[in-house]
Amino acid sequence: MLVSYNWVKEFFPNLTLNANDLAEAITRTGIEIEGVDYLDAELKNLVVGEVKTCEKHPSADKLNKTTVLVDNEETVQIICGAPNVAAGQKVIVARVGARLPGGMKIKRAKLRGEVSEGMICSLQELGFSSSVVPKAYQDGIFVLPDDVVVGSNAVELLGLNDAILDLAITPNRADALSMTGVAHEVGAITHTKPELPQQPDVSETGGIEGRISVKIQDVETTPYYAVRMVEDIEIKDSPLWLQVLLMKSGIRPHSNVVDVTNYINLLYGQPLHAFDYEKIGSKEIVVRLATKDEEIITLDGQKRTLNDGHTVITNGKEPIAIAGIMGGESSEVSEATNTVLLEGAIFSSDYIGRASRELGIRTEASIRYDKGSDAFKVEQALAHGAALIALLSNGKMISGSVEEDNRDAYKNVVTTTLSRVNRLLGTTISHEEVQVIFDRLAFDVTISGDDIEVKVPSRRWDISIEADILEEIARIYGYDNIPVTLPETATAGGLTTSQMLKRELHDTLQGAGLNQALTYSLTSEKEATRLALSKESVVSLKMPMSEERSKLRTSILPGLLHAASYNVARKNTDVALYEIGNVFYGTEGDALPLEEEHLAGLMTGNRILKDWQKETKAVDFFVIKGILELLNERLGLLEPFRFEQMTREDMHPGRTAKVYLGDLEIGFIGQIHPALQKEYDLKETYVFELNLREIIQAEKVHVAYQPIPRYPEMTRDVAILVSRDTAQSAILDVIRENGGKLLHDVQLFDIFEGEGILDNQKSMAYTLTYLDPERTLVEEEVTAINQKVLDALTEKLGAVIR
């Protein structure tokens, strides 16, 4: 809601907070201010002028040459392109040296050979949006009333020496969609009673009895409906103050009658609607639900088709308005209107909100009915609106109103205790402070000992339970004043072992170049068991959204394959993904599925891209194997991962291995079978899937810091020929078993197959490092241990020492 700071000051003549401070104070008590817009921030040297002469520019058909009186003695020539400029008008003049929004500066200029000393301004040029400018002045300059004083300050005249506060109203604070609601809020903040505007003192005449009747057919949609009447009116423009106020609030002025209904809506948050009494077509108003496919042409000229959930105002036969949303064209107030029938009502927010969305109509009235309004302020708003219409249209206010009232008697009492307030808020508020807080809120409160009884006014219909009262106390007391404390049962937070390991896992895999993915847990029957670690029964959904999402997955990898295929199809050919998630296995009976947390990864394309330093290198088995070994090291697992060649469905027969953690099989690693790669339109793709629960529960290395060895290490390089199918792990096992306690490290530095070696052989070269932290090793003992290693390799693996 847009709120004029100057309008707020009318409620509080002695307000000392400036617009920014007021916005900050309102925000701190619970209603967010999205911005403060100073309307005169860029305006300078604007005055009221009077057009003395107006004639066509001698050299331009679309320009006018005018002379304008800008004070009692000075007349200037201004070239104006507005089509509605004419002699005798009072206008807004930007004099030479003036500034307008956007940094525009007015200078003396020549336009087609004629001197122009200033500018006659439209409202848009002063910063008003075209959507709020009166239609008569949308394409031209704004013409001021005849009674304004030439030479006076136009900024002050138009109320532009103002700031607009943009309130973001939450659903529970619909009371702040009215200026009286905002005034009560500011009053609570400043501990000042607002001076609310009073109904104009307009004498009433005649009586409304017999001229109209009111009937409500559906009480659920309309608890209250009333009308008042004003006759012998003159439809004309509203006074300048009212037009400016509406425009600053984001509403376009129309006429004195329509503008009053919008003004009352802003003031009370209570929508009113004006009918032309002679156009209603009967002497009765019937409020009912529409019939299916019933039609009405609304004020915007659109034909609307209604359904039986929409509430309508009728003349007893046909609709003349959509209740709470928009009036009908057939009963629209026009320049010929003599008598106005003014409606004030309470409509159900559920019905109005739903109808507004279904019809695609959002108006200032529907917004307020949708969020809710004060059900016991409507009579005051209706009387105020009728009196103001009579005053501004020189009409006669007919005495009395016609109404049907189905409202329950208002009673809203909420109780709490002082001890509970202090316990829940963590404060030490006294009885006196509580009394002051509710006085500021203008709530009636009774405090007896520890008990607090609050009578909530109807304007705050959002308050109904104890928690609401506690919130009111907290926000007026000041959230900043509530002490910072921890509950007595609170303990210092921290991560569990599982959480810490998962964080390390994420860091390691992302550091290795993989991106985390999240894929569907639901899959198709075809993919439900594909690449699963365990051949368990599949869980089927009773009501699947589609056949493609009818089963719970038993493996994460099919989802990653789809993700990789999606990327490759869009020219992102280098894909590296991982996912942590649950797989699901069926159980007997109606028991819930067994959930098992897995870690899966996928890599395809290149792992190194070519540049001036590096050659392109594709992903292979050893890249993804190395990532798992790095993961083992970073997680601090006591047992290393061990890899054992295997064959399994959908995996490459020669490039797949089981993954063991110690003696426990926890998953597999390898290349996807070429046939499956083709199915997903992928090139060589390497994957792994591991049982994450086993990894998390596995024994971890106890980290013990040791001093840097004082004594030098000794190395030996060993090159051997072994059978091509001899596993690396087997070679390492033999070396470590025979290297003894002096063998400190083993590193593979070369693998060779090809020329000079039999087809069924490969050459493996290692560096063995020997170290004794307590003494310096001698050549003879290292040579002896190394020879023992060589002998064992020859004996156990049939290796040939090179």
Side-chain angles (χ1 to χ4, degrees):
M1 179 176 172
L2 302 179
V3 173
S4 162
Y5 174 72
N6 285 351
W7 199 359
V8 173
K9 289 186 68 175
E10 291 180 17
F11 297 99
F12 303 95
N14 298 317
L15 183 64
T16 57
L17 296 174
N18 61 35
N20 280 333
D21 292 340
L22 179 61
E24 176 68 18
I26 293 174
T27 298
R28 285 181 176 274
T29 55
I31 300 178
E32 181 183 358
I33 304 295
E34 294 188 335
V36 179
D37 181 18
Y38 285 87
L39 301 182
D40 61 350
E42 298 181 285
L43 298 179
K44 177 184 176 184
N45 205 9
L46 298 175
V47 300
V48 174
E50 181 178 358
V51 180
K52 289 298 187 181
T53 65
C54 179
E55 59 186 43
K56 288 293 182 182
H57 190 291
S59 303
D61 293 339
K62 293 185 178 181
L63 296 179
N64 300 292
K65 183 171 71 171
T66 67
T67 55
V68 183
L69 181 67
V70 292
D71 61 27
N72 290 331
E73 298 180 356
E74 185 179 1
T75 300
V76 297
Q77 177 173 291
I78 297 177
I79 305 302
C80 179
N84 64 327
V85 65
Q89 293 175 336
K90 297 287 182 68
V91 294
I92 306 159
V93 178
R95 303 200 61 180
V96 174
R99 290 190 178 277
L100 299 177
M104 182 179 179
K105 185 176 181 180
I106 304 302
K107 300 178 181 179
R108 183 178 285 103
K110 271 193 175 185
L111 299 176
R112 294 291 185 91
E114 295 288 339
V115 174
S116 182
E117 296 185 281
M119 177 179 176
I120 302 176
C121 298
S122 67
L123 290 176
Q124 293 93 323
E125 288 162 336
L126 301 183
F128 286 104
S129 168
S130 295
S131 63
V132 303
V133 172
K135 289 185 177 180
Y137 306 114
Q138 268 191 311
D139 300 319
I141 59 171
F142 185 66
V143 180
L144 298 167
D146 292 336
D147 58 355
V148 299
V149 178
V150 172
S152 60
N153 188 325
V155 171
E156 294 180 1
L157 179 69
L158 294 172
L160 294 175
N161 56 336
D162 195 2
I164 303 299
L165 283 65
D166 189 357
L167 275 65
I169 307 297
T170 52
N172 67 312
R173 290 305 308 274
D175 62 293
L177 282 171
S178 68
M179 284 303 299
T180 54
V182 172
H184 282 294
E185 185 71 12
V186 174
I189 293 170
T190 61
H191 203 179
T192 308
K193 185 177 180 180
E195 298 180 11
L196 300 177
Q198 301 299 310
Q199 175 182 327
D201 186 11
V202 177
S203 60
E204 299 184 10
T205 183
I208 197 172
E209 293 79 8
R211 302 184 66 173
I212 196 74
S213 66
V214 167
K215 182 179 180 181
I216 300 173
Q217 288 189 354
D218 193 282
V219 176
E220 182 182 354
T221 66
T222 313
Y224 178 86
Y225 191 91
V227 292
R228 297 199 66 141
M229 190 176 291
V230 184
E231 64 180 5
D232 295 338
I233 64 171
E234 177 188 356
I235 301 296
K236 58 184 179 180
D237 288 342
S238 297
L240 185 60
W241 70 267
L242 180 52
Q243 292 190 58
V244 169
L245 186 149
L246 292 177
M247 288 190 290
K248 290 193 294 186
S249 300
I251 299 174
R252 185 198 302 277
H254 292 278
S255 67
N256 48 0
V257 172
V258 176
D259 291 353
V260 166
T261 63
N262 285 324
Y263 170 77
I264 295 297
N265 194 10
L266 290 174
L267 181 61
Y268 292 99
Q270 173 58 54
L272 304 179
H273 181 69
F275 299 98
D276 186 322
Y277 176 68
E278 280 82 12
K279 292 180 181 179
I280 290 175
S282 73
K283 290 187 177 181
E284 65 173 339
I285 295 291
V286 178
V287 186
R288 61 170 172 83
L289 288 173
T291 58
K292 184 173 176 55
D293 296 329
E294 192 168 17
E295 294 182 339
I296 181 176
I297 298 177
T298 47
L299 290 173
D300 57 2
Q302 300 292 314
K303 180 183 285 188
R304 311 285 182 176
T305 301
L306 309 174
N307 64 42
D308 52 12
H310 302 159
T311 305
V312 290
I313 313 301
T314 74
N315 60 7
K317 298 179 181 179
E318 57 188 15
I320 57 175
I322 305 174
I325 297 176
M326 186 178 286
E329 190 178 67
S330 63
S331 58
E332 179 181 8
V333 173
S334 66
E335 292 182 359
T337 298
N338 177 263
T339 303
V340 163
L341 190 69
L342 192 63
E343 162 198 284
I346 297 298
F347 298 115
S348 166
S349 60
D350 291 340
Y351 280 84
I352 299 303
R354 184 167 61 250
S356 176
R357 290 185 286 274
E358 290 173 352
L359 294 170
I361 310 174
R362 183 174 172 84
T363 61
E364 292 291 331
S366 70
I367 290 170
R368 285 162 175 80
Y369 278 126
D370 186 13
K371 293 182 179 296
S373 58
D374 186 346
F376 294 87
K377 194 65 71 174
V378 59
E379 297 100 317
Q380 180 182 349
L382 183 60
H384 193 158
L388 195 54
I389 288 175
L391 180 66
L392 299 184
S393 65
N394 304 317
K396 298 176 182 177
M397 183 175 174
I398 302 303
S399 177
S401 64
V402 178
E403 65 179 19
E404 182 173 335
D405 190 355
N406 299 296
R407 295 170 297 183
D408 296 327
Y410 179 74
K411 183 179 180 182
N412 188 4
V413 178
V414 183
T415 61
T416 185
T417 63
L418 184 63
S419 59
R420 184 165 172 79
V421 168
N422 284 322
R423 184 172 72 254
L424 293 178
L425 298 184
T427 55
T428 55
I429 300 174
S430 65
H431 290 84
E432 292 75 16
E433 287 175 302
V434 171
Q435 182 70 55
V436 169
I437 287 171
F438 285 111
D439 287 346
R440 292 168 64 177
L441 288 165
F443 290 8
D444 289 336
V445 62
T446 301
I447 303 176
S448 177
D450 195 41
D451 296 328
I452 301 173
E453 181 182 89
V454 182
K455 296 178 181 177
V456 183
S458 60
R459 61 182 169 83
R460 290 301 306 276
W461 64 93
D462 59 296
I463 295 176
S464 59
I465 60 176
E466 182 192 38
D468 298 329
I469 290 296
L470 294 174
E471 181 183 7
E472 293 300 300
I473 294 173
R475 69 187 192 85
I476 300 303
Y477 180 72
Y479 293 122
D480 294 345
N481 296 324
I482 296 176
V484 179
T485 59
L486 285 173
E488 293 179 1
T489 58
T491 57
L495 298 177
T496 64
T497 301
S498 174
Q499 290 171 330
M500 288 189 290
L501 288 172
K502 286 180 182 178
R503 286 199 177 185
E504 185 64 40
L505 186 150
H506 283 295
D507 290 344
T508 301
L509 293 178
Q510 289 168 16
L514 279 70
N515 297 300
Q516 185 180 10
L518 293 174
T519 62
Y520 284 111
S521 296
L522 299 175
T523 186
S524 65
E525 184 173 3
K526 178 182 178 182
E527 294 185 333
T529 58
R530 177 173 282 174
L531 299 168
L533 289 187
S534 178
K535 297 297 183 182
E536 303 286 348
S537 60
V538 177
V539 181
S540 300
L541 270 65
K542 289 185 177 179
M543 299 178 63
M545 65 178 106
S546 69
E547 285 300 319
E548 294 300 311
R549 299 282 181 254
S550 61
K551 310 291 182 183
L552 285 172
R553 68 186 180 188
T554 57
S555 171
I556 298 174
L557 288 176
L560 293 182
L561 287 169
H562 277 292
S565 178
Y566 183 90
N567 277 270
V568 169
R570 286 154 181 80
K571 308 302 182 185
N572 180 24
T573 57
D574 303 325
V575 181
L577 303 172
Y578 78 94
E579 179 175 359
I580 297 174
N582 287 346
V583 299
F584 305 85
Y585 302 127
T587 54
E588 295 182 0
D590 295 328
L592 291 174
L594 173 65
E595 297 185 40
E596 194 170 87
E597 193 170 26
H598 283 193
L599 165 66
L602 174 149
M603 296 183 75
T604 187
N606 295 318
R607 65 182 179 91
I608 298 177
L609 298 180
K610 182 179 180 180
D611 63 15
W612 65 278
Q613 287 183 312
K614 303 184 292 288
E615 293 294 329
T616 298
K617 291 187 179 180
V619 174
D620 58 23
F621 178 89
F622 298 103
V623 171
I624 202 161
K625 175 176 175 284
I627 290 173
L628 290 190
E629 290 173 336
L630 174 64
L631 186 63
N632 182 286
E633 180 183 342
R634 292 288 297 274
L635 294 180
L637 303 181
L638 182 63
E639 298 281 355
F641 287 145
R642 189 164 54 82
F643 303 90
E644 183 178 300
Q645 189 170 352
M646 67 174 293
T647 58
R648 62 171 294 153
E649 188 180 2
D650 290 330
M651 296 297 292
H652 192 292
R655 299 177 183 175
T656 304
K658 296 178 183 178
V659 180
Y660 288 88
L661 184 57
D663 295 327
L664 178 65
E665 182 181 348
I666 62 168
F668 68 92
I669 180 175
Q671 181 186 341
I672 295 295
H673 195 284
L676 187 57
Q677 290 174 174
K678 185 176 181 181
E679 182 179 330
Y680 287 97
D681 291 326
L682 297 172
K683 295 183 179 180
E684 284 194 14
T685 301
Y686 294 87
V687 299
F688 65 85
E689 184 158 351
L690 308 176
N691 186 327
L692 186 58
R693 182 186 61 185
E694 299 296 346
I695 295 175
I696 290 174
Q697 293 178 351
E699 191 175 354
K700 309 299 184 297
V701 174
H702 176 69
V703 178
Y705 292 94
Q706 297 178 345
I708 297 173
R710 297 173 56 192
Y711 301 99
E713 59 188 27
M714 298 182 69
T715 61
R716 292 288 188 272
D717 288 343
V718 174
I720 58 175
L721 285 174
V722 293
S723 173
R724 182 173 288 186
D725 58 3
T726 302
Q728 153 85 346
S729 58
I731 298 173
L732 291 178
D733 287 345
V734 172
I735 294 175
R736 289 184 176 125
E737 285 174 7
N738 294 274
K741 64 179 182 179
L742 296 183
L743 181 62
H744 181 65
D745 188 31
V746 181
Q747 292 291 334
L748 173 69
F749 68 85
D750 185 53
I751 300 177
F752 179 73
E753 297 175 355
E755 187 177 351
I757 297 177
L758 297 177
D759 291 341
N760 64 343
Q761 289 185 324
K762 59 183 176 182
S763 173
M764 310 280 283
Y766 298 87
T767 296
L768 281 59
T769 302
Y770 297 94
L771 173 69
D772 188 334
E774 303 296 332
R775 61 185 177 86
T776 300
L777 294 175
V778 296
E779 188 74 20
E780 290 77 8
E781 64 179 325
V782 171
T783 300
I785 296 171
N786 197 61
Q787 186 60 49
K788 182 181 178 182
V789 170
L790 296 178
D791 293 342
L793 289 170
T794 302
E795 179 182 344
K796 295 182 179 181
L797 300 178
V800 177
I801 309 302
R802 302 188 69 191

